[in-house]
Amino acid sequence: MSQYTTERLRTVALVGHGAVGKTTLAEALLAHGGAVGAAGSVERGTTVSDFDPLEKSWKHSLRSSILHLDLPEARIHLIDTPGFPDFIGQAIGALDAVETAAVVVNAQAGIEMITSRMMEWAARRRLCRIVIVNKIDAENVDPAATLAAIQQAFGKECLPINLPAGGGARVVDCFFNPSGEADFSSVADAHQALVDQVVEVDEALMAKYLEQGEEIAPDELHAPFEKALREGHLVPVCFVSARTGAGVAELLDILVRLAPNPAEGNPPLFVKGEGDAAEGFRSQPDPGRHVLAHVFKVVIDPFVGKLGIFRVHQGTVTKDTQLFVGDGRKPFKVGHLFMLQGGKNVEVERAIPGDIAAVAKVDEIEFDVVLHDSHDEDQIHMRPLEFPQPMHGVAIAPRKRGDEQRISDVLHKIVAEDPTLVVEQDPHSNETVLRALGELHLRSVLERMATQFKVEIDTRPPRIPYRETIAGQAEATYRHKKQTGGAGQFGEVALRVEPLPRGAGFDFVDATKGGVIPNQFLPAVRKGVEQVLATGAVAGFPLQDVRVTVFDGKHHPVDSKEIAFVTAGRKAFLEAVAKARPTVLEPIVSVEIVCPEANTGDIAGDLSSRRGQVTGTKAAGPGALAIAGVAPLVELDGYGARLKSVTGGHGAFTMALSHYEPAPAPLQQQLVAEYEKKRKHEED
């Protein structure tokens, strides 16, 4: 494999909404660059990116795929990312591995939900951005209208760097080429607009341009062009047809000649230290310095085991390099170093700043850790990414007895690969709950568990995470006295309960005087109270937002024991709660729904029928609206299918826990009755 310097490396993530043609575009780039003999097809399951059997079956990307192509002028590292909302975590995770986010737009569909979100996320991570308008040769497309929509949504700094010509059969350059014919607009005007935008970031160049009226050659604009990209002052827009190859060569030329190399892009967002003491740390893309690399993806490969995929930001990694994982004190030795080409691992000798590489079979490697070769780089971390919170859940149970540990191991592997998957063990319901970003996300994980890992599981909807609290103040006293022939048990506790503000948790106050309860028994009283907090008092759900004040009690010099005060504290607390207007709380989630404007009334009405309400709206691109609202979690079961039905498949939503509110009286009565019935059954 050819040796490249850091200045000749480019790192690009293809991001955007689902079905815009990112995988087909990646395939076209690989084919044109000579990395593959011929472009594969998503429909036939022959692409380099979608190598996973599930991706071939579903005919769209489920995980990000790492690719590279070596050209005479540069090596380009490509990351092809999924675009459906359920799998957006894979695209977000790729942002810390690249200098350039290439946001792909479907010329037929225009600006879609994930398009807007990826533009925002990339800007937040200070990445250089380009917009690629794909499918310019499709029927009934209007590239001029698409460009206008892009500028309306993302700003006038989105300027065409090439334009379609010949009815979308080819494209004509507008940066290096000052004139020519295009399907719309004027090549000369587009060239002038680019030059005007670029010189604005360089005062000396602008003075030369304006005052002296000198024509500036594009080659003189390289440094200000990169600065304009870094500052978001310029977002180039280029046109392409991945299917026919129109514009693919020109796109490669743009990436080689104009996309930033690792020394030209904004530095990665490292910090050194913990908490409030953490300070920004700037890595240097110098191959001679200490190694600093960031693990942005983990894959559990059935043949090679755990694969840690990282971007090198500083130093050089070679075989036999000793690397530390995060703040670990014991290094591991790089046995084999790989670059990835979809599902293939290509062994290489070294990786320098700007390279994306991988090591296998290092158990300590986890997502988001920093690899380094010196303790000088201890406590360096990448500034955390903001992932959507997984709220869609399914309860999992083994179909066969004895498979619990095996299923736990498989879940651990799957969660290690995906930062938007969470496994929760609910001690109250004894449920193992797998949470994901959506129903499709969950379905893909369950199918993978069945096909790749061969585990058999049963699933059902998880219990809604209700909570209990109190609405009033009350007191209770309980004496626990037990005589068994020898030493007995004695403990008496008097306590008061009162509600705390929502979200305040639990407060335990010792207000006893005169040693009525010796100090060594107060932790036992608290333990008894906490047992009720964990299991609930009236409906079997955790109890929260309550203050417990122990103000009196009695003890016996011989018979008082810890167990006696645990029991007395628990029983006194139960009696007090029963008198303090116990209340069941239900989780309320905030939702954001993106849908066509025409469906706004239907969405608002449907949300209202689910005891929800709209709290705001904003534009989400041409013809689309983002609706913010709140609703009880229990009412949103199956909402994804309902939304697709209402919007004809063009709607999507996300949700996150907002707060807890008292459940409606009929629901509270139902939950209490179910708990009483269950408890009576267990006693019998």
Side-chain angles (χ1 to χ4, degrees):
M1 184 172 281
S2 303
Q3 297 291 318
Y4 291 88
T5 62
T6 292
E7 289 71 28
R8 294 173 63 199
L9 298 179
R10 307 288 184 269
T11 55
V12 182
L14 298 176
V15 298
H17 203 82
V20 298
K22 297 184 296 296
T23 298
T24 302
L25 178 58
E27 201 70 17
L29 291 168
L30 290 176
H32 191 86
V36 296
S41 163
V42 172
E43 290 72 26
R44 293 194 299 270
T46 56
T47 64
V48 177
S49 291
D50 291 351
F51 58 89
D52 184 88
L54 207 55
E55 291 176 316
K56 294 180 180 183
S57 170
W58 288 22
K59 301 192 186 315
H60 65 77
S61 301
L62 303 177
R63 297 188 285 179
S64 60
S65 182
I66 318 302
L67 316 164
H68 67 272
L69 59 154
D70 292 347
L71 305 171
E73 308 90 343
R75 167 183 290 158
I76 300 176
H77 291 282
L78 278 177
I79 305 180
D80 177 26
T81 68
F84 288 98
D86 283 22
F87 307 102
I88 200 62
Q90 293 284 317
I92 297 172
L95 296 180
D96 279 342
V98 299
E99 267 75 50
T100 303
V103 183
V104 185
V105 175
N106 183 345
Q108 291 176 299
I111 308 298
E112 298 173 272
M113 180 182 71
I114 297 302
T115 313
S116 301
R117 294 201 168 183
M118 292 315 303
M119 285 289 282
E120 292 173 10
W121 273 315
R124 216 176 294 157
R125 299 306 281 188
R126 301 172 58 231
L127 297 181
C128 301
R129 293 168 293 164
I130 67 173
V131 175
I132 301 173
V133 179
N134 189 24
K135 304 186 181 182
I136 59 172
D137 62 323
E139 294 182 4
N140 302 319
V141 299
D142 186 346
T146 303
L147 177 61
I150 290 169
Q151 292 177 333
Q152 180 184 351
F154 308 124
K156 293 298 183 182
E157 62 269 22
C158 298
L159 295 174
I161 201 165
N162 59 36
L163 288 168
R170 58 188 177 86
V171 301
V172 57
D173 171 62
C174 300
F175 184 68
F176 296 101
N177 177 34
S179 62
E181 297 296 325
D183 288 344
F184 72 93
S185 186
S186 159
V187 173
D189 289 347
H191 173 80
Q192 193 66 52
L194 284 167
V195 174
D196 290 347
Q197 192 77 0
V198 169
V199 298
E200 286 182 1
V201 301
D202 188 314
E203 292 184 5
L205 199 62
M206 179 180 278
K208 175 182 176 181
Y209 180 59
L210 295 178
E211 296 171 12
Q212 301 177 23
E214 294 186 21
E215 189 71 28
I216 299 176
D219 290 339
E220 295 181 67
L221 294 173
H222 184 85
F225 189 96
E226 301 301 334
K227 184 179 181 182
L229 287 179
R230 287 195 300 272
E231 295 178 356
H233 190 68
L234 172 65
V235 179
V237 180
C238 49
F239 293 84
V240 70
S241 170
R243 184 182 64 86
T244 66
V248 172
E250 289 79 3
L251 176 57
L252 272 179
D253 191 53
I254 289 169
L255 296 179
V256 171
R257 300 175 70 181
L258 297 174
N261 65 47
E264 292 171 327
N266 285 316
L269 302 174
F270 284 115
V271 295
K272 186 169 186 176
E274 302 290 346
D276 295 337
E279 298 179 348
F281 178 87
R282 182 164 184 151
S283 59
Q284 302 294 330
D286 181 349
R289 287 178 174 257
H290 287 313
V291 171
L292 200 63
H294 175 247
V295 177
F296 68 94
K297 183 176 174 64
V298 171
V299 174
I300 309 297
D301 190 292
F303 302 105
V304 301
K306 179 185 278 190
L307 202 64
I309 305 169
F310 57 88
R311 156 71 188 267
V312 181
H313 292 281
Q314 180 179 291
T316 301
V317 179
T318 63
K319 293 180 180 179
D320 299 331
T321 297
Q322 301 266 2
L323 293 177
F324 296 96
V325 180
D327 298 337
R329 311 307 295 175
K330 184 179 178 182
F332 72 90
K333 184 173 168 181
V334 177
H336 297 277
L337 187 65
F338 303 105
M339 284 187 186
L340 306 185
Q341 195 70 294
K344 296 180 180 178
N345 301 333
V346 182
E347 192 155 1
V348 295
E349 294 295 324
R350 66 168 193 159
I352 61 173
D355 272 328
I356 293 175
V359 292
K361 300 179 181 178
V362 182
D363 291 338
E364 296 83 3
I365 285 184
E366 303 289 347
F367 171 77
D368 204 32
V369 299
V370 169
L371 307 179
H372 55 98
D373 63 353
S374 166
H375 287 304
D376 292 344
E377 278 71 47
D378 282 351
Q379 293 192 323
I380 292 180
H381 316 280
M382 190 69 78
R383 193 169 298 167
L385 286 158
E386 298 174 13
F387 289 99
Q389 184 177 357
M391 292 294 295
H392 296 260
V394 63
I396 291 175
R399 189 166 296 169
K400 298 178 182 177
R401 293 187 62 181
D403 272 1
E404 289 83 359
Q405 186 58 49
R406 184 161 172 255
I407 289 174
S408 176
D409 293 342
V410 170
L411 287 173
H412 179 76
K413 291 177 180 179
I414 288 176
V415 170
E417 293 185 318
D418 191 337
T420 57
L421 283 175
V422 173
V423 174
E424 300 173 349
Q425 190 67 45
D426 189 337
H428 315 294
S429 60
N430 198 29
E431 283 185 330
T432 298
V433 179
L434 175 65
R435 297 200 181 275
L437 294 183
E439 296 169 10
L440 196 63
H441 194 191
L442 278 175
R443 188 154 63 88
S444 72
V445 173
L446 296 175
E447 190 166 334
R448 189 169 168 226
M449 291 176 68
T451 56
Q452 180 177 329
F453 295 100
K454 311 297 183 186
V455 294
E456 297 182 1
I457 56 175
D458 290 322
T459 62
R460 59 181 176 80
R463 293 183 75 192
I464 298 296
Y466 294 107
R467 296 292 183 262
E468 298 178 16
T469 191
I470 55 174
Q473 182 175 310
E475 295 180 358
T477 301
Y478 188 87
R479 174 181 292 182
H480 176 71
K481 185 176 181 180
K482 189 175 182 181
Q483 204 70 36
T484 56
Q489 296 180 10
F490 181 87
E492 183 175 307
V493 173
L495 53 77
R496 180 186 313 111
V497 297
E498 56 189 305
L500 291 177
R502 195 77 67 239
F506 166 60
D507 188 20
F508 184 84
V509 179
D510 172 22
T512 59
K513 296 180 180 178
V516 291
I517 299 178
N519 287 337
Q520 68 265 30
F521 293 131
L522 283 168
V525 177
R526 178 172 183 142
K527 182 178 180 181
V529 170
E530 289 177 340
Q531 288 178 353
V532 179
L533 292 176
T535 60
V538 293
F541 301 105
L543 200 151
Q544 64 183 36
D545 305 335
V546 61
R547 174 178 289 124
V548 176
T549 302
V550 180
F551 61 86
D552 201 0
K554 292 180 181 179
H555 73 284
H556 188 279
V558 176
D559 290 347
S560 284
K561 297 178 178 63
E562 180 179 330
I563 184 64
F565 279 98
V566 169
T567 303
R570 184 178 71 252
K571 293 292 184 68
F573 185 42
L574 282 169
E575 288 187 11
V577 167
K579 295 186 287 187
R581 303 202 308 277
T583 303
V584 177
L585 303 173
E586 66 175 346
I588 306 297
V589 295
S590 57
V591 294
E592 183 179 87
I593 306 160
V594 178
C595 65
E597 287 183 7
N599 299 123
T600 303
D602 295 332
I603 297 298
D606 187 67
L607 199 62
S608 176
S609 71
R610 297 170 183 266
R611 296 194 286 122
Q613 62 182 32
V614 173
T615 58
T617 60
K618 64 179 181 180
L625 206 64
I627 302 173
V630 292
L633 177 61
V634 67
E635 299 288 347
L636 294 180
D637 183 35
Y639 186 66
R642 172 61 179 163
L643 183 62
K644 288 179 181 178
S645 173
V646 170
T647 63
H650 294 290
F653 81 107
T654 58
M655 63 180 179
L657 179 64
S658 173
H659 59 283
Y660 277 86
E661 288 183 1
L667 178 57
Q668 292 202 43
Q669 294 165 5
Q670 175 190 337
L671 294 170
V672 171
E674 289 175 354
Y675 178 65
E676 289 293 337
K677 183 178 179 180
K678 177 184 175 183
R679 193 166 61 174
K680 185 176 180 181
H681 176 74
E682 290 174 349
E683 289 175 354
D684 293 342

